[in-house]
Amino acid sequence: MKSLVIAEKPSVGRDIARVLGCKQGGNGFLEGKDYVVTWALGHLIELSDPESYGEQWKVWKMETLPMLPERLEIQVIKKTGKQYQTVKTQMHRKDIKEIIIATDAGREGELVARWIIKKAGVKKPMKRLWISSVTDKAIRQGFSQLKDAREYQKLYEAAVARAEADWLVGLNATRALTVKHNAQLSCGRVQTPTLAMIAKRQAQIKAFQPKEYYGLKVKGADASWNWKSKDNSTSTFSREEIKKAAEKITNSTGTVQEVRKKQQKSYAPQLYDLTSLQQDANRMFGFSAKQTLDFMQRLYEHYKVVTYPRTDSRYLTADIVDTLQERVKACRGGAYTPVCAKLLKAPIKGNKSFVDDKKVSDHHAIIPTEQGIRLSELDYGERKIYELVVSRFLAALLPPCEYQQTEVVAFCNGERLTLKGKVIEKPGWQEIKALQESSGIAGEEEEGEEPAAGSIPDFSQGQKIRFGEAKITEGKTKPPVPFTEATLLAAMENPVKYMESTDQSLKKTLGETGGLGTVATRADIIEKLFNSFMIEKKEQYIHLTSKGRQVLELAPQGLTSPELTARWEQELADIAKGKAKKKDFEAEIRSYTVDIVKDIAASSKTYRHDNLTSKKCPDCGKLLLEVNHKNGRMLVCQDRECGYRKTLSRVTNARCPQCHKKMELVGEGDGQKFICACGYREKLSAFEKRKKESGGGVSKKDVANYMNKMKKEAKEPVNNAFADAFAKLKL
């Protein structure tokens, strides 16, 4: 008798098969003496389409809403149906005595496997493989410590509850909005509050009124001093106050009142979880959240050089400490080789700054595995992400940076002046920061007023100082900055300040449950908002479109706030822990679904297209809409049933020779040309010729490949069951 192992993806399945000695090839599976290994392709099963429940939901009508099937069914995803049949056949083999679930260790991974098993109608004993990396060592250890799958039954129930709630609320609200306004509109418990946060930020920017502020700088005793007000600020909004202070200080003598010297330590930033990694990758390299996740998945699955990426923890468990030495050895070979050599001179120990079992739920922080790699094997994006993970990991293992901070306070005719400086005595983890800066990478952003690095002259209490001319500095307060993908991810992770409610328990819950979406879904949510034309990107900044603003006005109020997610995630967590029942949560969701459909149907608000063109759809004859896509501009049909789309332009990696910004490629065939926001224009043929003459590397083939890649990405559905259901709505 044999055990059947079900992995989530082919690459992981093949790794497990190799470790288990399964060498006999099959069509979609591998077999050995004791094991058969097969795999899903992400989700193979999804919640059934509304149309499958009967004729009443095949046509979109308000009269047939809400859609509330007595029991939600599941169906095989057509495009991966062949692999499902392969997995089903293996499960029903008479020589298979048990099933080992080896999908990703988490709520969604549990759903992937359990739905396949349920749909296939298999009743065999089940075990669970729960690992955070797919190295040979981790796989062997995991198989030596298999769990009874019944331990994860409640996690599965929570996963089903989440999927069903999103189906009921999301599809009903989307269908109601769409038929009410005859436009391609959608809303949901995560995407709509995310839109609301962007709207709130834009409203803050619009309402902002700049105010002038003033400060003073003055030279004295070979140092540059800053004036400070009575409330300890280095600036004031009063021009009169600053003028009087300047008059008192200019060409006057002051006295040093205090010299404070402190030995300080600064500690390395925390290890990465997925969200913090996506933020830094966007800030440093301009990678989108989805790009970073894609790079991480390849590093995890194909190269096996990093641990499980979809984690929300920034700590390690104690059992990982014994493996740190091997992981550091695996990091050698790049810019951080000298740091690795230094760390390996002594035993590597963990400490509470990055090791804490209580702060790890399903998966620990992202760190390198014990498997090394030649960096030349990685492409640009993969290498940059891998180096970020390595640098953060090594920084955590290095000692703190030790420095002496000096602050001098002097008074001159009643006005206070200060001087700060710091001298680094032991760089510690800042060796990593120095290596990053030498490579042109911005290091960890620091908050608050920091003393300038470097020594300052020695001063003593009571010392007299002759000051020169006090120069007034001027500035204006700045409005909030529009969201980038990095800052939007941060807001989704911690959306408490965007909540209208004053309920502190809800705010606490939202903080504890990880905010809007999960580390695994936030990138997909942002992509979905771009692809449905509710947000657009201007340079690196995200802005609402007219469609996005109107959706917020038309959507039920409860769906625009993060509070709904706070309540849901708390209840889902309770279901996973066995503290709450799935049926009670489902009853609550069904009641809520009825309410939101009623709200939409009764609304007197209207939706209007303000981006209509004079061009007619070649398929249905209706006027086309011009929309800004994340990667350019396109024409789309206003009729939700039609679905016609045509690309007008794509943002490329080609840089303008005048302003060096990325240019758009517009037109078709021989008429294609690059255009830039600064006004520069150049035919594709002329661009290729210029690049060839200068030794540049963008060929017609490169551009074609890039365009094909963008088209493919635009059509790709988000890899989860609910998103596949949304894809069928032609949104």
Side-chain angles (χ1 to χ4, degrees), residues 289-302:
K290 187 176 187 303
Q291 282 178 314
T292 299
L293 179 55
D294 289 345
F295 292 142
M296 276 297 297
Q297 282 295 133
R298 187 158 171 78
L299 291 170
Y300 167 67
E301 293 174 8
H302 181 74

Side-chain angles (χ1 to χ4, degrees), residues 119 136 178 230 251 311 384 413 483 501 512 564 600:
K119 187 66 179 175
D136 291 5
T178 299
K230 291 177 182 178
N251 299 324
T311 175
K384 289 302 180 186
N413 293 328
F483 282 121
S501 172
E512 291 174 348
L564 182 65
I600 293 171

